[in-house]
Amino acid sequence: MTLPASRQSPATAASRYTRRSVLTGAFALATAAALPAGAAGRAYAAAGPNIIGCAAWGARAASEPVVVLANRPERIIVHHTATANVTDYSRQRAVALARAIQTYHMDAQGWIDTGQHFTVSRGAFVLEGRHNSLAELNSGRRQVRAAHCVGQNTVSIGIENEGTYTSEAPPAAQYAALADLCAHICDQYGLPASEIYGHRDFNSTACPGDRLYALLPGLRRDVATRLGTPLSEPETNPDEDPVWDLVRQATGRPPAATLGEYLPAGLLR
């Protein structure tokens, strides 16, 4: 008998996800390495992640029209929600999380809609955040203006990952889902895997947590493997900080905004 998703162990949840994915996280690196680069990219592109759209999780309408920009994004920015590291890996939990985030962003923050473009639950479910993000990703030509990172909301795709990853790493299945989503975004928008950053690279914040942030170099490599492309890292002078240089170039100033990510107690039920 198969247990309900909410009662499954992390190992069971991870195995459920790996069976439905063409390439998943570190579990499939050996398989990807065995494929020619082009074949790995084609194998990934043929699958893509299953993304639960706003209508499917019952999103409220945005309070005003969502702005669709003419440009493609230049990078991906990874966040964590700074919520509890629950062991409920069900779709119901993922949907409840999406609704709670939208309620907080709209009713407490005063934003027009959910701030980020996409959310990855601890159960490895991927959900659309701000309306029209999925449609524009599918087109690969434009992006939605968001509210996830000061100075980057018109040039980046924001991904929230359920959990708090200051001292604990995300579940393997969640990490694999994040890697799949990042690879799909890179594939659709023509981004290199090297253009994946953490929230703290641009704003004064602990997000996405020390443990998840430490995984970003490996995430870039895993995404590059999924795409079947080499990971090119620019050569840098040790006396220079390439991230701060990038921030100054993109925003005209160094990181300054202190931003925390959390949901008030009782909002997520």
Side-chain angles (χ1 to χ4, degrees):
M1 179 179 68
T2 302
L3 290 174
S6 60
R7 295 175 55 194
Q8 290 176 359
S9 67
T12 302
S15 65
R16 171 181 59 80
Y17 182 75
T18 56
R19 285 196 297 270
R20 72 166 186 257
S21 176
V22 174
L23 294 173
T24 54
F27 306 119
L29 288 180
T31 301
L35 291 172
R42 287 193 298 273
Y44 173 77
N50 178 29
I51 301 175
I52 302 171
C54 287
W57 61 259
R60 295 157 53 184
S63 61
E64 63 183 65
V66 170
V67 175
V68 177
L69 303 165
N71 57 282
R72 295 180 178 183
E74 299 173 6
R75 60 190 61 90
I76 296 169
I77 298 180
V78 175
H79 305 255
H80 70 169
T81 60
T83 53
N85 292 336
V86 298
T87 56
D88 182 347
Y89 298 97
S90 67
R91 186 182 190 277
Q92 290 77 10
R93 166 71 189 192
V95 166
L97 174 71
R99 290 173 177 166
I101 290 174
Q102 187 186 44
T103 296
Y104 175 59
H105 285 178
M106 294 182 70
D107 296 350
Q109 300 287 69
W111 299 344
I112 67 168
D113 196 2
T114 299
Q116 75 277 7
H117 296 91
F118 301 100
T119 304
V120 182
S121 78
R122 282 176 59 83
F125 290 96
V126 180
L127 305 97
E128 181 181 26
R130 180 155 292 200
H131 284 80
N132 298 334
S133 297
L134 179 55
E136 295 306 327
L137 173 61
N138 288 339
S139 76
R141 295 188 298 271
R142 305 179 301 181
Q143 73 164 99
V144 169
R145 186 175 71 191
H148 65 93
C149 181
V150 174
Q152 292 294 304
N153 291 313
T154 61
V155 291
S156 68
I157 296 295
I159 303 174
E160 287 276 6
N161 294 273
E162 180 187 16
T164 300
Y165 298 119
T166 53
S167 59
E168 179 180 327
Q174 183 183 26
Y175 173 85
L178 172 62
D180 280 354
L181 176 60
C182 287
H184 185 58
I185 293 169
C186 287
D187 189 48
Q188 288 295 99
Y189 286 123
L191 297 176
S194 57
E195 289 296 327
I196 299 174
Y197 298 89
H199 188 181
R200 66 174 65 178
D201 289 330
F202 299 95
N203 296 155
S204 179
T205 175
C207 180
D210 290 348
R211 291 296 301 276
L212 180 52
Y213 187 76
L215 293 175
L216 294 187
L219 177 64
R220 297 181 192 108
R221 291 192 295 271
D222 290 344
V223 169
T225 298
R226 282 162 166 74
L227 295 172
T229 59
L231 179 62
S232 59
E233 296 285 2
E235 295 184 6
T236 60
N237 185 324
D239 296 328
E240 298 176 349
D241 186 337
V243 169
W244 276 60
D245 289 344
L246 177 62
V247 173
R248 290 189 184 96
Q249 180 181 6
T251 67
R253 62 185 185 280
T258 300
L259 301 174
E261 297 181 43
Y262 66 97
L263 294 177
L267 184 61
L268 180 56
R269 300 183 186 279

